[in-house]
Amino acid sequence: LQLHYTMDGNAQDASGNNIHGTMVGGVTPATNRFGEANKSLQLNGTNGHITVPSGVYFDGSDFTVTAWVRRAAITSWSRLFDFGNGENSDNILFALSSATTGRPVISVRNGATIVGQHTSPTAFANNQWVHLSYTWSNNIGALLVNGSVVAGGTQQAPLNVVRAINYIGRSHWSNDGFANARLDDFRMYNRVLSTHEIQALVLEQPNALTATVSPNNICSGTATNIVGNGLTWRDRLLIGYDIVKALAYLYSQRVVLPTLSWYVVFAYDH
């Protein structure tokens, strides 16, 4: 994990690399996708954005960028992020909208030359939280919405250069709009996340899941703990915050369940 802005009312980096951002213009704390106050950032669509320090964030090797976005309105060519050295200068960008279509775009420029640009065939909805991802590996870029690939294809490797002007929510092009959206959990990795890792981010919950299997009065068997990290299995009854999310989390962690004839699943929030 190269950079991680949890956006809990600020632009502090939680990755441990101390690459702290700076909030500029109309950026205010807002409620996140779980309904928690001051746990996301609202960009006002006119001048609000975040600046990220100069650095080599894209060096021609694998990368993944992810974030949660709740777009309030479409603004022409507004950005999730745009890292570069100015307009048409080594830009790596994720546009929230191709012009005013609402369809997201991923693009790489080496110098002023576009070396791979891909646009989703459909727009994502306004006023709903969506998870956006951009992965790149072996000259292939992919754009994912809520964990599913919606666009992608050939992209040359970004040049291994220092990018000194780096924006979240703002474009390098003066005629482009600013993002009118809430942003949450912005992450940059210097590797490609697998499909199950991205799905785990999409399905992430604010509290740890608890999984428990019932005693023998449900079905015969011997109580056994088989997984940690807040998840406990005993016999054959799974109890979790959300059935689908619990099972997806277990899959993402490559949990192998013991061979049993059947499982009974309930859900609760503790």
Side-chain angles (χ1 to χ4, degrees):
L1 185 59
Q2 188 176 19
L3 183 152
H4 183 196
Y5 293 165
T6 60
M7 298 189 169
D8 290 349
N10 57 58
Q12 297 296 293
D13 178 23
S15 73
N17 295 320
N18 296 316
I19 309 173
H20 304 303
T22 301
M23 299 187 299
V24 180
V27 181
T28 54
T31 302
N32 70 2
R33 64 194 186 278
F34 302 120
E36 299 172 318
N38 303 320
K39 292 290 189 176
S40 71
L41 292 176
Q42 174 71 55
L43 279 58
N44 67 358
T46 56
N47 63 2
H49 64 284
I50 296 167
T51 61
V52 180
S54 173
V56 180
Y57 298 98
F58 306 96
D59 60 3
S61 59
D62 295 357
F63 68 82
T64 302
V65 183
T66 72
W68 284 95
V69 177
R70 182 184 174 94
R71 186 172 59 192
I74 295 170
T75 49
S76 182
W77 286 110
S78 57
R79 301 289 201 265
L80 173 57
F81 72 90
D82 190 339
F83 283 30
N85 289 307
E87 182 177 323
N88 278 317
S89 183
D90 295 313
N91 306 86
I92 315 297
L93 65 88
F94 193 134
L96 296 175
S97 177
S98 172
T100 58
T101 65
R103 297 182 292 134
V105 181
I106 55 173
S107 182
V108 174
R109 281 172 170 78
N110 286 342
T113 303
I114 298 176
V115 295
Q117 181 163 297
H118 303 286
T119 304
S120 171
T122 58
F124 63 87
N126 289 346
N127 299 308
Q128 294 181 16
W129 283 103
V130 297
H131 189 265
L132 301 177
S133 305
Y134 178 3
T135 66
W136 187 94
S137 180
N138 295 321
N139 293 317
I140 299 294
L143 192 167
L144 297 87
V145 177
N146 292 330
S148 297
V149 176
V150 297
T154 302
Q155 283 186 325
Q156 290 183 25
L159 294 179
N160 183 5
V161 298
V162 171
R163 290 175 172 83
I165 309 171
N166 305 310
Y167 297 131
I168 296 173
R170 176 179 177 176
S171 169
H172 277 282
W173 281 254
S174 59
N175 291 332
D176 293 344
F178 285 76
N180 186 350
R182 291 186 210 174
L183 304 180
D184 192 16
D185 199 32
F186 183 92
R187 300 171 181 238
M188 295 180 64
Y189 296 83
N190 54 9
R191 64 183 182 88
V192 170
L193 296 189
S194 66
T195 300
H196 77 265
E197 287 177 308
I198 292 175
Q199 286 289 343
L201 292 177
V202 173
L203 298 172
E204 186 178 40
Q205 293 296 310
N207 300 312
L209 300 178
T210 299
T212 307
V213 177
S214 79
N216 292 337
N217 61 349
I218 297 294
C219 60
S220 61
T222 302
T224 306
N225 292 343
I226 63 170
V227 63
N229 296 325
L231 295 174
T232 303
W233 286 78
R234 300 182 188 279
D235 281 344
R236 304 181 185 187
L237 175 62
L238 171 66
I239 300 175
Y241 177 86
D242 179 286
I243 295 168
V244 175
K245 292 177 175 61
L247 295 178
Y249 176 83
L250 294 173
Y251 170 75
S252 74
Q253 300 300 310
R254 293 294 191 266
V255 174
V256 178
L257 302 180
T259 300
L260 296 173
S261 59
W262 54 275
Y263 291 88
V264 178
V265 185
F266 295 93
Y268 78 107
D269 185 8
H270 64 92

